């Protein structure tokens, strides 16, 4: 059997590890397509040596290029992709990505290609998933940044810092990063603060601490559309005159997608890879492999995949409420 592997959408840390895990769990031949969906169209296929998969499994340097496609594929383009896949005698296609990637797979599966999806997005916004590849490493990047600002706030007391994070319309990254970094406030789309209450909360914390650190999701304000950055400017403009203290800003953008993968990243990648290989061996086709709330990898039907917002019934959300982060 021959497996095709492709990554679509934003790049994330942990991709190399997933490729390595799939390779070492099976003797199947593996073909990699560079460049996402466009790579499938251009037939940008390449073989990759086991020695490279081993050596780069923990590296943040990607072995495979991802790619975005702004417009949906037309029928003729799907037919060309199918032709390229069959010409390579590939039995199934495994794609890592987010919801847009899985919508593509839904259509491609209708052309007779056996498809499997793995959530790879720092937004962690795929239905059924409590974890997507790249999420843990992104959180670690935030922890590191918050720690630096705490040190600065201790050296120069009285500072208020606001950090804007990626995450799209879903506040999962901002919420969990706030909890894990001991930040003071999380601004997430699913739980919008009253501006006067927010200002008063910041003032109170500033009186008690050397620094106040606020994490702000890029999708927190109404002007957000994919690719937009600047929610932090809107919020600072609304808050500074109410708080009476200058708010220093940091935008943590695309660097959140890279970094040495965490131990959790490696383990979760192995769990997902094992389930993908099990599905392939069992003949279960057209599945998205997700990590459920019990930290178990399970397959869900490709047709059931979709985006999600933050779960307000989750333990993370409830913990953030108890700690007055949201």
């Amino acid at each position: 059997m021959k497996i095709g592997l492709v990554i679509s959408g934003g790049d994330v840390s942990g991709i190399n590890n997933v490729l390595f895990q799939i390779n070492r769990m099976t003797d199947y031949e593996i073909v990699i397509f560079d460049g996402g969906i466009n790579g499938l169209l251009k037939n940008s296929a390449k073989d990759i040596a086991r020695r490279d998969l081993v050596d780069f499994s923990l590296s943040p340097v990607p072995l495979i290029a991802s790619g975005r496609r702004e417009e949906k594929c037309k029928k003729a383009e799907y037919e060309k992709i199918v032709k390229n896949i069959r010409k390579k005698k590939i039995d199934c296609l495994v794609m890592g990505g987010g919801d847009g990637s899985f919508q593509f797979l839904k259509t491609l599966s209708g052309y007779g290609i056996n498809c499997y999806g793995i959530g790879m997005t720092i937004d962690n916004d795929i239905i059924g998933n409590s974890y997507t590849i790249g999420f843990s490493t992104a959180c670690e990047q935030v922890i590191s940044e918050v720690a630096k600002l705490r040190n600065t706030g201790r050296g120069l007391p009285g500072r208020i810092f606001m950090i804007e994070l990626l995450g799209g319309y879903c506040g999962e990254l901002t919420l969990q990063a706030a909890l894990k970094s001991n930040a003071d406030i999380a601004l997430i789309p699913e739980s919008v603060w009253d501006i006067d209450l927010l200002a008063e909360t910041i003032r109170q914390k500033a009186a008690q601490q050397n620094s106040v650190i606020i994490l702000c999701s890029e999708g927190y304000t109404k002007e957000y559309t994919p690719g937009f950055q600047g929610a932090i400017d809107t919020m600072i403009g609304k808050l500074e005159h109410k708080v009476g203290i200058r708010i220093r800003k940091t935008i943590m953008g695309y660097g959140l997608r890279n970094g040495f993968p965490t131990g959790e990243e490696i383990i979760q990648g192995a769990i997902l890879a094992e389930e993908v290989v099990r599905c392939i061996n069992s003949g279960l086709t057209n599945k998205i492999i997700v990590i459920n709330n019990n930290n178990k990898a399970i397959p869900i039907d490709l047709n059931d995949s979709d985006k999600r917002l933050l779960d307000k019934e989750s333990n993370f959300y409830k913990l953030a409420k108890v700690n007055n982060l949201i």
Side-chain angles (χ1 to χ4, degrees), residues 40 72 124 144 172 189 226 244 257:
L40 290 170
K72 292 183 178 180
N124 196 10
S144 176
E172 190 80 54
R257 291 179 177 165

Side-chain angles (χ1 to χ4, degrees), residues 148-162 184 202-203 205-214 240 243 245-249:
K148 293 174 187 176
L149 293 177
R150 287 293 189 204
N151 290 342
T152 294
R154 187 169 181 84
L156 290 167
R159 297 301 193 267
I160 299 173
F161 303 103
M162 187 179 291
D184 298 298
I202 294 170
R203 283 197 299 269
K205 289 182 180 295
Q208 299 168 348
Q209 305 173 186
N210 287 321
S211 62
V212 179
I213 296 182
I214 306 158
E240 254 185 355
V243 175
I245 303 173
R246 178 186 166 195
I247 300 175
R248 275 95 171 156
K249 70 174 183 179

Side-chain angles (χ1 to χ4, degrees), residues 248-268:
R248 275 95 171 156
K249 70 174 183 179
T250 299
I251 295 180
M252 292 189 73
Y254 299 99
L256 285 167
R257 291 179 177 165
N258 194 261
F260 283 96
T262 65
E264 182 181 17
E265 204 82 81
I266 300 302
I267 291 297
Q268 299 290 7

Side-chain angles (χ1 to χ4, degrees), residues 60-313:
V61 179
L63 282 170
I64 179 172
S66 184
R68 290 196 183 278
R69 184 175 175 82
E70 299 301 326
E71 68 280 354
K72 292 183 178 180
C73 287
K74 299 178 177 61
K75 181 181 179 182
E77 291 172 317
Y78 276 109
E79 290 172 345
K80 184 175 181 180
I81 289 171
V82 171
K83 182 179 178 181
N84 289 341
I85 290 173
R86 288 180 175 160
K87 190 173 182 179
K88 293 281 184 185
K89 296 182 179 179
I90 291 171
D91 297 283
C92 62
L93 183 71
V94 178
M95 175 176 278
D99 179 63
S101 305
F102 300 156
Q103 298 305 317
F104 163 80
L105 285 185
K106 286 181 187 180
T107 303
L108 184 65
S109 66
Y111 287 83
I113 301 297
N114 295 330
C115 298
Y116 303 88
I118 298 176
M120 291 187 180
T121 166
I122 65 170
D123 300 346
N124 196 10
D125 61 350
I126 304 298
I127 275 185
N129 258 313
S130 66
Y131 186 86
T132 54
I133 297 299
F135 184 72
S136 173
T137 303
C139 286
E140 287 293 321
Q141 303 273 55
V142 180
I143 294 170
S144 176
E145 185 68 19
V146 170
K148 293 174 187 176
L149 293 177
R150 287 293 189 204
N151 290 342
T152 294
R154 187 169 181 84
L156 290 167
R159 297 301 193 267
I160 299 173
F161 303 103
M162 187 179 291
I163 307 172
E164 181 174 314
L165 306 182
L166 300 179
Y169 295 102
C170 179
E172 190 80 54
L173 175 62
T174 299
L175 182 80
Q176 288 201 38
L179 286 167
K180 293 172 180 178
S181 67
N182 291 333
D184 298 298
I185 294 169
L187 305 181
I188 59 173
E190 297 88 345
S191 183
V192 177
W193 282 77
D194 172 81
I195 196 69
D196 291 318
L197 176 59
L198 177 58
E200 177 59 26
T201 301
I202 294 170
R203 283 197 299 269
Q204 289 176 3
K205 289 182 180 295
Q208 299 168 348
Q209 305 173 186
N210 287 321
S211 62
V212 179
I213 296 182
I214 306 158
L215 301 190
C216 178
S217 171
E218 65 178 351
Y220 186 72
T221 58
K222 291 182 179 179
E223 72 261 48
Y224 175 76
T225 55
F228 169 84
Q229 289 182 290
I232 195 170
D233 295 314
T234 299
M235 292 309 300
I236 290 173
K238 290 180 178 180
L239 282 168
E240 254 185 355
H241 68 282
K242 291 180 179 289
V243 175
I245 303 173
R246 178 186 166 195
I247 300 175
R248 275 95 171 156
K249 70 174 183 179
T250 299
I251 295 180
M252 292 189 73
Y254 299 99
L256 285 167
R257 291 179 177 165
N258 194 261
F260 283 96
T262 65
E264 182 181 17
E265 204 82 81
I266 300 302
I267 291 297
Q268 299 290 7
I271 291 171
L272 286 165
E274 180 186 30
E275 183 61 16
V276 169
V277 171
R278 187 192 72 81
C279 286
I280 293 172
N281 290 339
S282 302
L284 295 174
T285 60
N286 302 327
K287 301 293 183 184
I288 301 295
I289 311 304
V290 302
I291 300 282
N292 66 14
N293 289 330
N294 295 320
N295 202 40
K296 179 178 175 58
I298 60 170
I300 64 173
D301 288 338
L302 187 54
N303 287 329
D304 293 334
S305 67
D306 205 349
K307 275 185 175 289
R308 71 165 175 85
L309 298 180
L310 190 148
D311 180 8
K312 292 187 176 183
E313 297 302 316

